[in-house]
């Protein structure tokens, strides 16, 4: 390009590596995007470049891992295109893409098109039922543990028949038996869990080549964000979709692969060139986030990992503050001095509360920091605390809506049989569920059988008739007036006397008002769905809710919007950045975590090192790393050992003590 030629506007602000990634359109492309290197910018500008070069926007598929990332990506792309094109790229999560496929073709696998998506609470209810059905020994496998095991197996691509090859003990054998019953229960009730969305889409494509051809033929270009976080089913899905045109661009950073515990396999990005030998590899190493001092530590740390793509991040920023290290006698001292330092920063005007994050490895660590933040009256928020979707009122209302839309969903129907009380006590509910199991029929069918109703107390029969009539009536109302969903739900809650139940359960006006506010939030949430949807429906709302609820985005965004110090795990902090970060608990057993050390697995320790790398690169301007010399464990004070990562980052970390001197003075 000559000096007189002018770059298109969307390319003008890119650095050379970003520009190369954006303009490399055909064939397999691997973009190694280091922390803070402008990854999202590359993805959005690349879509614009594809469209500028003549690609129909509707022929572009761009997949990411969260709804929030997908929304931001779409908004940025539309902004760069300068308007609202008639056709737009399909941008969404893996799970959203799979739902789109399965809504068309789930009957090929024996599922209804209107299948229900089970959330975590529904999964645990189903797990509880199957453990009871197989008469699992009391206390052997908890429902939550069964759900976790099943998810782990599914993330590895294992179906109920193949898990027996990997089970290691008697408890896992019980779980394997329950896994088969769990899948049978979900299929019988027309339900899928989140992992099923991926597994069943893959199965659909493998068993029905005509379906694969149809879906493969819809896109000419595929982009995958956060490729280092893909699990095996996601990897297999991508391979099938791009097998013919091979126009695949993946963007990610192997140094930020920290989700092995939920099935992510870093080997997918490490071996990309083995899967696509002709792949073009582009490295984004200019970091726009961190100071040179912070990046130096990050680079020194992560180069100790043997299994990685070589890259050295380079700071765009000029020199900044020195990284501080704090060593304290006890974990109490660590919390006191960290919070004191934070309070001084805020009081001096050096930082606002929302500029500061305290990052920790385990969920047990924040309690002392919370206590001290309260004591020193520093505003804070614990990110990732109780989800809005876990509140009883939300779960009750969603169960009602699921039962209205899909009455064969036993999990939802059983939750609301006697909520609010309608004469169907625990014993009656148990009899009905046992009857449904023995007859191999959905609970919805059983509660209509005269021979079953004749064995129940009269009050229970009246209650069941009232409930089933109400569900049928409102099914028609929701379908006939989808644009009035919020008002229909308001009327339903009135008819089901849910507000009366709140007044009965909670004696004080304050408690009642809190619950009524939750109901108001649900109604607002429904109305917002209607306003943003071209064709609103109850099924669509429940689908959106299931996908959103898994990510817990609303709560996280609401918490991040407050002017308060953030307390969060390193995992929760990925994708975020803060002017000032305190990385606490840098000790063997915490970071790296005890499990990774005891496993004697190099891969496990390398993932812990990547976690530390992610934590460090959340800091824009100021980084403080702390540890305590001793901790109380099981009621006894024990000495702690410095994290090996301290030695890898600093030649002289024990001498770098401006923070120590201040704390000890």
């Amino acid at each position: 390009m000559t000096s007189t030629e002018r770059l298109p506007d969307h390319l003008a602000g890119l650095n050379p590596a970003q520009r190369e990634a954006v303009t490399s359109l055909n064939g397999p492309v691997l973009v190694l995007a280091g922390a803070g290197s402008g990854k999202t910018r590359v993805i959005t500008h690349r879509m614009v470049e594809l469209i500028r070069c003549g690609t129909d926007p509707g022929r572009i598929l761009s997949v990411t891992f969260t709804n929030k990332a997908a929304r931001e990506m779409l908004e940025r792309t539309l902004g760069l295109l300068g308007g609202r094109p008639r056709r737009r790229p399909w941008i969404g999560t893996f799970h959203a893409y799979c739902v789109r496929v399965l809504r068309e073709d789930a009957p090929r696998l024996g599922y209804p098109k209107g299948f229900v998506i089970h959330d975590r609470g529904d999964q645990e209810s189903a797990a509880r039922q199957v453990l009871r059905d197989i008469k699992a020994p009391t206390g052997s496998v908890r429902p939550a543990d069964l759900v976790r095991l099943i998810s782990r197996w599914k993330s590895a691509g294992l179906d109920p028949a193949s898990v027996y090859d990997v089970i290691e003990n008697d408890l896992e054998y019980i779980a394997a038996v329950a896994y088969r019953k769990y899948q049978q229960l979900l299929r019988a009730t027309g339900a899928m869990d989140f992992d099923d969305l991926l597994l069943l889409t893959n199965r659909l494509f493998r068993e029905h080549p005509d379906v694969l051809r149809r879906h493969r033929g819809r896109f000419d270009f595929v982009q995958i964000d956060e490729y280092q976080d893909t699990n095996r089913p996601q990897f297999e899905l991508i391979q099938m979709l791009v097998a013919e045109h091979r126009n695949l661009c993946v963007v990610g950073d192997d140094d930020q692969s920290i989700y092995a515990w939920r099935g992510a396999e870093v080997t997918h990005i490490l071996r990309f060139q083995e899967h696509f030998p002709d792949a073009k590899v582009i490295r984004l190493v200019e970091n726009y986030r961190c100071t040179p001092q912070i990046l130096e530590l990050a680079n020194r740390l992560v180069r100790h990992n043997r299994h990685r793509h070589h890259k050295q991040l380079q700071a765009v920023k000029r020199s900044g503050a020195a990284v501080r290290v704090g060593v304290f006698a006890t974990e109490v001292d660590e919390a006191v001095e960290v919070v004191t330092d934070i309070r001084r920063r805020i009081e001096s005007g050096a930082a606002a509360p929302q500029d500061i994050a305290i990052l920790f490895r385990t969920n047990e660590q924040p309690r002392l920091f919370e206590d001290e933040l309260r004591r020193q009256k520093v505003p804070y928020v614990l990110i990732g605390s109780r989800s809005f979707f876990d509140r009883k009122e939300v779960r009750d209302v969603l169960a009602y809506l699921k039962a209205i839309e899909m009455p064969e969903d036993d999990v939802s129907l059983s939750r609301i049989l006697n909520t609010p009380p309608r004469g169907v006590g625990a014993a009656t509910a148990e009899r009905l569920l046992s009857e449904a199991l023995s007859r191999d029929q959905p609970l919805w069918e059983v509660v209509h059988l005269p021979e079953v109703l004749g064995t129940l107390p009269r009050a229970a029969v009246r209650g069941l008739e009232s409930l089933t009539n109400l569900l049928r009536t409102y099914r028609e109302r929701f379908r006939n007036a989808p644009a009035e969903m919020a008002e229909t739900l308001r009327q339903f809650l009135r008819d089901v006397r849910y507000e009366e139940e709140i007044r009965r359960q909670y004696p004080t006006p304050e408690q009642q008002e809190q619950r009524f506010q939750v109901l108001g939030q649900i109604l607002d949430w429904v109305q917002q769905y209607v306003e943003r949807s071209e064709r609103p429906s109850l099924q669509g709302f429940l689908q959106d809710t299931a996908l959103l609820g898994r990510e817990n985005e609303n709560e996280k965004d609401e918490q991040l919007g407050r002017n308060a110090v953030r307390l969060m795990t390193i995992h929760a902090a990925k994708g975020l950045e803060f002017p000032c970060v305190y990385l606490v608990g840098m000790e063997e057993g915490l970071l790296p975590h005890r499990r990774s050390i005891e496993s004697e697995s190099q891969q496990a320790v390398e993932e812990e090192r990547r976690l530390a790398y992610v934590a460090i690169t959340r800091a824009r301007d100021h980084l403080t790393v702390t540890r305590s010399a001793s901790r109380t464990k099981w009621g006894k004070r024990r000495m702690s050992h410095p994290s090996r990562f301290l030695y890898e980052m600093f030649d002289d970390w024990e001498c770098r003590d401006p923070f120590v001197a201040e704390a000890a003075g």
Side-chain angles (χ1 to χ4, degrees):
M1 178 175 291
T2 67
S3 59
T4 58
E5 289 181 292
R6 184 172 176 269
L7 287 169
D9 288 344
H10 72 284
L11 299 180
L14 304 177
N15 67 40
Q18 291 173 334
R19 195 177 306 135
E20 183 183 9
V22 166
T23 55
S24 299
L25 303 181
N26 296 307
V29 179
L30 169 61
V31 180
L32 294 169
S37 63
K39 166 178 67 72
T40 305
R41 195 176 195 200
V42 163
I43 294 171
T44 54
H45 282 67
R46 189 173 183 274
M47 282 190 281
V48 172
E49 180 69 2
L50 282 167
I51 296 166
R52 191 183 72 85
C53 292
T55 302
D56 179 344
R59 306 284 297 172
I60 302 170
L61 171 65
S62 194
V63 183
T64 188
F65 274 80
T66 69
N67 288 301
K68 180 181 178 182
R71 285 195 302 271
E72 290 178 353
M73 205 176 290
L74 179 60
E75 288 167 5
R76 288 200 200 186
T77 303
L78 294 178
L80 288 167
L81 290 172
R84 300 279 166 177
R86 186 178 59 83
R87 298 251 293 166
R88 59 177 61 177
W90 195 93
I91 302 173
T93 64
F94 275 101
H95 292 95
Y97 173 73
C98 291
V99 169
R100 177 184 180 180
V101 171
L102 292 167
R103 287 293 179 212
E104 294 182 25
D105 294 298
R108 296 278 197 112
L109 301 176
Y111 287 82
K113 280 191 176 182
F115 60 85
V116 171
I117 303 172
H118 275 187
D119 61 20
R120 181 59 182 244
D122 298 331
Q123 289 178 265
E124 290 190 12
S125 295
R128 191 172 294 107
Q129 183 173 331
V130 300
L131 288 170
R132 189 167 55 235
D133 294 345
I134 67 171
K135 297 180 171 55
T138 302
S140 59
V141 182
R142 297 180 306 168
D145 294 333
L146 177 58
V147 168
R148 194 158 43 247
L149 264 175
I150 289 174
S151 182
R152 191 179 83 193
W153 287 332
K154 289 183 178 182
S155 293
L158 300 171
D159 61 19
S162 52
V163 296
Y164 292 96
D165 296 331
V166 300
I167 57 178
E168 298 179 348
N169 52 52
D170 291 344
L171 291 184
E172 289 190 1
Y173 179 82
I174 295 170
V177 174
Y179 180 14
R180 182 179 296 277
K181 294 287 290 184
Y182 172 88
Q183 287 304 111
Q184 291 171 348
L185 174 62
L186 263 60
R187 181 166 179 170
T189 56
M192 301 180 191
D193 63 24
F194 272 87
D195 298 304
D196 285 333
L197 297 175
L198 295 165
L199 287 179
L200 291 174
T201 301
N202 281 346
R203 182 180 147 203
L204 179 69
F205 284 172
R206 284 195 304 268
E207 295 180 2
H208 300 277
D210 60 314
V211 175
L212 173 59
R213 278 195 300 274
R214 174 158 38 90
H215 288 282
R216 184 187 278 167
R218 289 179 174 174
F219 301 106
D220 297 324
F221 294 90
V222 177
Q223 296 188 150
I224 310 294
D225 186 19
E226 303 285 12
Y227 190 66
Q228 77 280 351
D229 294 337
T230 52
N231 62 21
R232 188 167 303 173
Q234 289 162 340
F235 172 76
E236 292 172 355
L237 179 64
I238 296 163
Q239 297 288 94
M240 285 190 278
L241 281 175
V242 304
E244 291 185 352
H245 59 66
R246 302 177 79 253
N247 290 326
L248 171 67
C249 175
V250 303
V251 183
D253 182 8
D254 49 296
D255 289 334
Q256 296 186 75
S257 180
I258 59 173
Y259 294 116
W261 53 276
R262 68 183 191 195
E265 297 185 27
V266 69
T267 53
H268 295 156
I269 194 168
L270 293 177
R271 296 179 181 170
F272 188 81
Q273 290 162 279
E274 294 178 25
H275 305 139
F276 298 94
D278 57 335
K280 184 174 187 177
V281 180
I282 301 163
R283 289 171 167 80
L284 306 183
V285 296
E286 289 189 53
N287 174 285
Y288 294 88
R289 177 188 302 158
C290 309
T291 63
Q293 288 84 347
I294 293 169
L295 275 193
E296 180 189 359
L297 289 190
N299 285 327
R300 292 184 67 173
L301 174 67
V302 80
R303 75 167 64 112
H304 284 81
N305 275 358
R306 293 198 307 191
H307 301 98
R308 64 183 293 260
H309 288 287
H310 173 72
K311 51 193 168 305
Q312 179 93 354
L313 292 185
Q314 301 163 8
V316 173
K317 284 183 174 180
R318 295 182 177 180
S319 185
V323 175
R324 302 185 304 164
V325 180
V327 182
F328 304 98
T330 70
E331 68 272 38
V332 175
D333 295 330
E334 180 185 36
V336 169
E337 297 302 337
V338 164
V339 173
T340 299
D341 195 62
I342 288 171
R343 179 173 55 77
R344 288 172 181 156
R345 279 187 186 273
I346 295 169
E347 290 176 348
S348 70
Q354 64 189 12
D355 295 334
I356 301 169
I358 303 174
L359 305 185
F360 43 85
R361 174 63 179 89
T362 71
N363 286 314
E364 293 74 37
Q365 289 173 260
R367 184 185 63 81
L368 289 171
F369 291 91
E370 285 195 83
D371 291 346
E372 193 58 31
L373 286 160
R374 286 195 193 102
R375 193 181 69 80
Q376 298 199 36
K377 295 182 171 56
V378 176
Y380 77 93
V381 60
L382 179 61
I383 306 293
S385 54
R386 189 184 179 206
S387 167
F388 174 73
F389 295 90
D390 289 336
R391 291 177 170 90
K392 180 182 184 300
E393 294 76 27
V394 176
R395 299 200 60 77
D396 286 346
V397 172
L398 288 178
Y400 264 115
L401 293 177
K402 289 176 185 177
I404 289 170
E405 175 63 25
M406 186 75 176
E408 291 82 8
D409 178 5
D410 283 3
V411 171
S412 297
L413 185 58
S414 61
R415 180 180 180 93
I416 50 94
L417 275 180
N418 203 45
T419 303
R422 54 178 59 87
V424 187
T428 300
E430 186 65 34
R431 283 171 60 187
L432 289 168
L433 288 166
S434 298
E435 194 69 41
L437 179 65
S438 65
R439 292 172 179 266
D440 195 23
Q441 289 179 281
L443 182 60
W444 176 255
E445 294 181 11
V446 169
V447 299
H448 289 89
L449 296 174
E451 62 270 29
V452 173
L453 294 176
T455 67
L456 302 180
R458 188 173 300 173
V461 174
R462 285 198 301 268
L464 288 170
E465 289 176 345
S466 171
L467 175 63
T468 55
N469 288 336
L470 202 61
L471 296 179
R472 272 193 293 264
T473 297
Y474 274 90
R475 188 173 311 131
E476 291 304 311
R477 291 190 187 181
F478 276 108
R479 289 178 180 173
N480 292 337
E484 306 297 326
M485 281 175 55
E487 182 56 33
T488 303
L489 177 56
R490 190 192 312 276
Q491 293 172 4
F492 174 80
L493 292 174
R494 189 181 305 125
D495 286 351
V496 85
R497 298 181 175 179
Y498 197 82
E499 290 190 5
E500 291 181 25
E501 173 64 2
I502 287 176
R503 291 190 181 93
R504 186 187 68 82
Q505 278 194 313
Y506 302 101
T508 71
E510 292 78 13
Q511 290 174 318
Q512 293 171 9
E513 181 58 29
Q514 286 177 354
R515 270 65 189 183
F516 291 147
Q517 284 180 2
V518 173
L519 294 185
Q521 287 177 278
I522 297 170
L523 293 169
D524 292 344
W525 177 22
V526 173
Q527 184 58 34
Q528 289 159 7
Y529 161 77
V530 171
E531 290 172 357
R532 71 172 182 265
S533 301
E534 294 179 11
R535 299 177 62 186
S537 67
L538 181 53
Q539 181 190 87
F541 170 72
L542 291 171
Q543 176 178 303
D544 275 18
T545 300
L547 294 172
L548 180 66
R550 179 176 176 84
E551 294 166 17
N552 202 17
E553 286 177 350
N554 280 1
E555 300 78 20
K556 192 171 178 178
D557 286 349
E558 182 181 322
Q559 291 166 331
L560 287 170
R562 293 170 53 187
N563 187 17
V565 173
R566 286 88 161 101
L567 273 77
M568 58 202 312
T569 64
I570 301 170
H571 284 101
K574 185 167 183 295
L576 302 175
E577 57 185 71
F578 308 93
C580 182
V581 167
Y582 291 79
L583 174 56
V584 300
M586 281 292 283
E587 299 149 36
E588 292 288 293
L590 287 178
L591 187 62
H593 194 277
R594 173 179 51 82
R595 285 193 302 269
S596 70
I597 298 170
E598 292 175 350
S599 72
E600 298 182 353
S601 161
Q602 180 182 342
Q603 287 80 8
V605 172
E606 287 201 353
E607 174 142 331
E608 292 292 303
R609 189 175 285 111
R610 292 194 293 268
L611 258 179
Y613 173 85
V614 166
I616 291 164
T617 54
R618 298 314 92 194
R620 295 209 296 258
D621 303 306
H622 300 277
L623 174 65
T624 301
V625 181
T626 71
R627 78 170 190 90
S628 68
S630 67
R631 286 184 184 268
T632 301
K633 300 174 183 175
W634 300 101
K636 294 184 178 180
R637 181 150 298 282
R638 304 173 190 274
M639 298 304 294
S640 297
H641 299 286
S643 169
R644 68 192 70 186
F645 302 151
L646 286 169
Y647 294 101
E648 293 170 359
M649 287 189 288
F650 301 106
D651 293 327
D652 58 345
W653 71 268
E654 290 167 305
C655 302
R656 299 167 66 94
D657 60 1
F659 187 48
V660 179
E662 179 181 308

